[in-house]
Amino acid sequence: MKQRHEVFFKQLEGMRNYLLKVANVTEEEAQIVPKGFKNNIRWNLGHVFVEQCAWIENLTKEEVDFPKHFNEWFGWGTSPDDFTAETPSLEELKQLLKEQIANIKGTYGDRLEEVFEPTQGMDTLEQVLLWTTFHEGMHLQTILDIKKVYECLIEN
């Protein structure tokens, strides 16, 4: 693997670790959907996981190993209203997220520059991973905002 790709994965791991640090909340806190929000922390974490898998699968046209029914709970346009008794817990989602970057590196680490049929203007895994990292950052901010609103509610 190229040195710049090693650096790239180190950065992805660092960003993921920060997301998980920010999401260090209780299961109860992870369920709160504050007024003005559509989703909760648990949904945001599941969505980050699913979207990264989906983008890779969409680009490579290769099946990515993740439970497909996750789309029913965490896919685009879903909400915590779609959760069932089978929906993964906060801790289960955090474990999947902890493992995801290493799994991607192990499976695709030597294929980051491989060219595929373009999807949404991207034709390499490197481009897709840059996009999904940006997307993850948007959901990280949402989690920070949810926590801020939740903390304000507790103080008042």
Side-chain angles (χ1 to χ4, degrees):
M1 182 180 306
K2 294 180 180 180
Q3 182 180 359
R4 75 180 185 89
H5 293 158
E6 289 289 346
V7 171
F8 179 65
F9 277 109
K10 191 159 193 72
Q11 290 174 331
L12 293 179
E13 290 166 4
M15 288 181 262
R16 179 59 56 86
N17 288 336
Y18 184 63
L19 173 72
L20 292 167
K21 180 179 177 183
V22 166
N24 188 22
V25 297
T26 66
E27 188 76 42
E28 179 183 88
E29 291 168 333
Q31 306 295 46
I32 296 169
V33 180
K35 185 176 181 179
F37 290 81
K38 293 189 281 184
N39 296 303
N40 57 29
I41 291 172
R42 184 174 163 205
W43 182 90
N44 277 275
L45 293 176
H47 182 71
V48 165
F49 177 80
V50 165
E51 285 294 300
Q52 195 155 51
C53 293
W55 275 95
I56 292 170
E57 197 170 77
N58 191 37
L59 177 70
T60 64
K61 307 297 186 249
E62 300 168 5
E63 190 169 324
V64 174
D65 185 24
F66 78 101
K68 300 304 180 219
H69 56 276
F70 271 38
N71 282 316
E72 299 168 18
W73 301 310
F74 306 114
W76 191 84
T78 62
S79 79
D81 294 339
D82 301 311
F83 288 1
T84 67
E86 292 79 33
T87 305
S89 69
L90 174 65
E91 289 309 312
E92 289 170 312
L93 290 170
K94 288 165 75 172
Q95 187 61 41
L96 288 168
L97 286 162
K98 283 178 189 175
E99 298 166 354
Q100 189 174 32
I101 301 300
N103 291 340
I104 291 169
K105 182 179 179 181
T107 304
Y108 302 103
D110 292 327
R111 299 175 62 194
L112 293 181
E113 296 178 19
E114 184 177 332
V115 178
F116 296 90
E117 183 71 31
T119 182
Q120 300 290 317
M122 296 173 278
D123 61 7
T124 68
L125 284 162
E126 188 172 39
Q127 292 168 344
V128 162
L129 290 173
L130 285 169
W131 163 250
T132 59
T133 302
F134 169 75
H135 174 260
E136 183 170 329
M138 294 185 330
H139 288 278
L140 168 67
Q141 185 59 57
T142 299
I143 291 169
L144 288 166
D145 292 343
I146 289 171
K147 287 178 70 174
K148 190 180 297 181
V149 169
Y150 178 71
E151 289 167 6
C152 287
L153 291 173
I154 299 251
E155 291 174 4
N156 293 328

